[in-house]
Amino acid sequence: MAKGDVKLLTMWASPFCMRVKVALAEKEIASEEIEERDLLNDKSDLLLKSNPVHKQVPVLLHDDKPIAESTNIITHIDQVWSAKPLLPECSYEKSRARFWADYIDRKVHPAGRAIWSSNEKDEVEVAKINFLDIMKYLDGTLGDKDYFNGDTIGFVDILLIGLTSYFPAYEKFGDFKLEDHYPKLAAWITRSWARETVSESLSNPENITNFVIMMRKMFGLE
Amino acid sequence: MAKGDVKLLTMWASPFCMRVKVALAEKEIASEEIEERDLLNDKSDLLLKSNPVHKQVPVLLHDDKPIAESTNIITHIDQVWSAKPLLPECSYEKSRARFWADYIDRKVHPAGRAIWSSNEKDEVEVAKINFLDIMKYLDGTLGDKDYFNGDTIGFVDILLIGLTSYFPAYEKFGDFKLEDHYPKLAAWITRSWARETVSESLSNPENITNFVIMMRKMFGLE
């Protein structure tokens, strides 16, 4: 599978980095991880040089050429390492996958963040309802399939599963259980986390919840 | 070039519809336009059925199968009608094009809208500076090339040019001229509009400015 040298500029608590790690693992691509130590106060020169526009992780260095933005990176990985394709073969199905990818990218993480970004009961309730409304559509498109991609894990699965380390924090601060509302979607999370490619790529949800608590302290919410 | 029946659910003032029209014109794809008459109060049943998640135009009906979201539609068009490719051949260059596509999609239209959405001098000034800062990066990546894609119009060009019918309204309400700040980018707009595929696909900027004035009246700003 050698198609050049692969490095990933990453940070352990970034859900967008986690999804890239899952994609690399599913494709069995060997890579070196370069951890950013302090994204708030001291971004590395390599990061600033590699992603001068957004200055954010993840960045994939493919033969030292930088590729930024996680969905873009995963699309690149799928095109260059074409074995075990993540996107469907059919053009129309590809467009469906891109549609849901965009939906996930725009909605899930900001909606989840809104749940823990306030101590106002009404605001938290609105944020929770909004988050569950977003999940409703994802649950609907998953349906009775094992994965969004069908029988095997694919593009949409990887983009969404990368964000799920944060879900227990959303449940804690929003006071709900996803499985009470969308048991199929909750089962998909359990099924996906049972894969080594996922569990070894994603940060432990307990550590993420502690990270969220630390951020809440920074924002004066705890 | 016949690859099935193509219809476009559209609305004349939507910049996201305009960019799809440019792509169809560049690819010489015959299509039927179905105009939405009242997106505020009376969306058509066809639109609601075709894009039940976002309920927005544009939607491409390719052999009656709906594809939503303009960038997704244009990617689909480029994959299915592969002559005169819009995306570069090289995987790395493809990733660069997708990066800028995402940048444009997330930033340009909302930043422009912020300029005309307020009468507070300070807010308008901040919005103008933000818009020009976004343009700075686009000007930088265009550089001395004729098009973002190089010598020929491509994916990033089409995504951005589709939004430019609104630029004279931004200039009017922000009291600036893009060409005073970024003459190369302004020249790219003029160069692109000189193409029939663009000028015949995009709504007249004067009509768009009147449309913006109508919306400002609706919001109590005029």
Side-chain angles (χ1 to χ4, degrees):
Chain A
M1 300 285 276
K3 300 248 183 186
D5 178 65
V6 177
K7 297 187 185 78
L8 181 67
L9 308 193
T10 184
M11 187 275 194
W12 73 273
S14 159
F16 304 103
C17 294
M18 295 184 211
R19 45 161 65 158
V20 174
K21 291 184 199 176
V22 176
L24 290 168
E26 283 290 339
K27 290 279 191 171
E28 298 172 44
I29 300 169
S31 65
E32 178 192 345
E33 289 183 17
I34 303 174
E35 182 84 9
E36 284 290 315
R37 293 295 164 190
D38 184 357
L39 284 176
L40 271 184
N41 304 304
D42 189 20
K43 294 182 181 185
S44 74
D45 290 343
L46 183 58
L47 175 60
L48 296 175
K49 192 183 80 176
S50 304
N51 190 4
V53 177
H54 298 309
K55 303 173 182 68
Q56 286 172 342
V57 290
V59 177
L60 193 83
L61 297 173
H62 187 185
D63 285 334
D64 294 324
K65 287 190 286 188
I67 302 171
E69 299 294 282
S70 60
T71 302
N72 187 24
I73 293 170
I74 295 170
T75 305
H76 177 79
I77 287 172
D78 199 36
Q79 286 179 351
V80 175
W81 286 266
S82 53
K84 285 182 56 177
L86 300 176
L87 276 160
E89 175 67 23
C90 154
S91 292
Y92 182 70
E93 292 303 323
K94 271 197 180 80
S95 81
R96 296 298 298 160
R98 287 192 308 267
F99 175 87
W100 288 111
D102 176 69
Y103 179 89
I104 291 165
D105 280 357
R106 282 199 278 162
K107 291 178 181 277
V108 175
H109 195 64
R113 188 184 174 104
I115 295 172
W116 61 256
S117 296
S118 173
N119 281 338
E120 295 292 326
K121 218 173 167 182
D122 289 356
E123 284 178 9
V124 175
E125 184 65 17
V126 167
K128 182 192 87 174
I129 289 169
N130 182 43
F131 181 80
L132 286 171
D133 195 50
I134 291 166
M135 292 299 117
K136 181 181 74 183
Y137 283 102
L138 292 172
D139 186 72
T141 194
L142 173 65
D144 291 315
K145 302 193 296 290
D146 275 357
Y147 295 100
F148 287 90
N149 192 45
D151 295 333
T152 55
I153 197 166
F155 192 67
V156 176
D157 297 281
I158 290 174
L159 294 190
L160 185 57
I161 204 68
L163 311 182
T164 56
S165 283
Y166 278 79
F167 281 24
Y170 306 155
E171 291 182 325
K172 173 182 167 69
F173 292 105
D175 194 20
F176 69 96
K177 284 280 171 202
L178 186 66
E179 68 181 340
D180 293 343
H181 300 267
Y182 301 113
K184 286 178 190 169
L185 194 58
W188 167 83
I189 293 177
T190 305
R191 184 179 309 120
S192 301
W193 273 81
R195 301 174 76 88
E196 255 187 36
T197 53
V198 173
S199 61
E200 296 200 348
S201 300
L202 271 58
S203 294
N204 182 314
E206 274 181 46
N207 295 342
I208 292 296
T209 300
N210 288 333
F211 180 78
V212 165
I213 290 169
M214 190 197 75
M215 284 201 286
R216 283 173 49 86
K217 280 182 184 155
M218 259 177 49
F219 301 151
L221 292 166
E222 301 244 336
Chain B
M1 300 288 276
K3 300 248 183 184
D5 178 64
V6 177
K7 297 186 186 80
L8 181 67
L9 310 193
T10 184
M11 187 275 194
W12 73 273
S14 159
F16 304 103
C17 295
M18 294 184 214
R19 44 161 65 157
V20 175
K21 289 183 199 176
V22 177
L24 290 168
E26 284 290 339
K27 291 278 192 175
E28 299 173 43
I29 300 168
S31 66
E32 178 192 346
E33 289 182 17
I34 303 173
E35 181 83 10
E36 284 289 314
R37 294 296 165 191
D38 183 358
L39 285 176
L40 272 184
N41 305 304
D42 188 20
K43 294 182 181 186
S44 74
D45 291 342
L46 183 58
L47 175 60
L48 296 175
K49 190 183 80 177
S50 304
N51 190 3
V53 177
H54 299 308
K55 304 175 181 68
Q56 285 172 342
V57 290
V59 177
L60 193 83
L61 297 172
H62 187 185
D63 286 333
D64 295 325
K65 287 190 286 190
I67 302 171
E69 300 293 282
S70 60
T71 301
N72 187 26
I73 292 170
I74 294 170
T75 305
H76 177 79
I77 287 172
D78 199 36
Q79 286 180 350
V80 175
W81 286 268
S82 51
K84 287 182 55 177
L86 300 177
L87 277 160
E89 175 67 21
C90 155
S91 291
Y92 182 71
E93 292 303 323
K94 270 196 180 80
S95 82
R96 296 297 299 158
R98 286 193 308 267
F99 175 86
W100 288 111
D102 177 68
Y103 179 90
I104 291 164
D105 281 357
R106 281 199 279 164
K107 291 180 181 274
V108 175
H109 196 64
R113 190 186 173 104
I115 296 173
W116 62 256
S117 297
S118 172
N119 281 339
E120 297 291 328
K121 220 172 165 184
D122 290 356
E123 283 178 9
V124 174
E125 185 64 17
V126 167
K128 182 192 88 175
I129 289 170
N130 182 43
F131 181 79
L132 285 171
D133 195 51
I134 291 165
M135 292 299 117
K136 181 181 74 184
Y137 284 102
L138 292 172
D139 186 71
T141 194
L142 174 65
D144 291 315
K145 302 193 297 290
D146 276 357
Y147 294 101
F148 287 89
N149 192 45
D151 296 333
T152 55
I153 197 167
F155 192 66
V156 176
D157 297 280
I158 290 174
L159 294 190
L160 185 57
I161 204 68
L163 312 181
T164 57
S165 283
Y166 278 78
F167 280 24
Y170 305 156
E171 292 181 323
K172 173 183 166 68
F173 292 105
D175 194 20
F176 69 97
K177 283 282 172 199
L178 186 66
E179 68 182 341
D180 293 343
H181 300 267
Y182 302 113
K184 287 178 190 170
L185 195 58
W188 167 83
I189 293 176
T190 306
R191 186 179 306 120
S192 301
W193 273 80
R195 300 174 76 90
E196 256 186 38
T197 53
V198 173
S199 60
E200 295 199 350
S201 299
L202 270 58
S203 295
N204 183 315
E206 275 182 46
N207 295 342
I208 292 296
T209 300
N210 288 331
F211 180 77
V212 166
I213 291 170
M214 190 197 75
M215 284 201 284
R216 283 172 50 84
K217 281 182 183 153
M218 259 177 50
F219 300 151
L221 293 166
E222 302 246 336

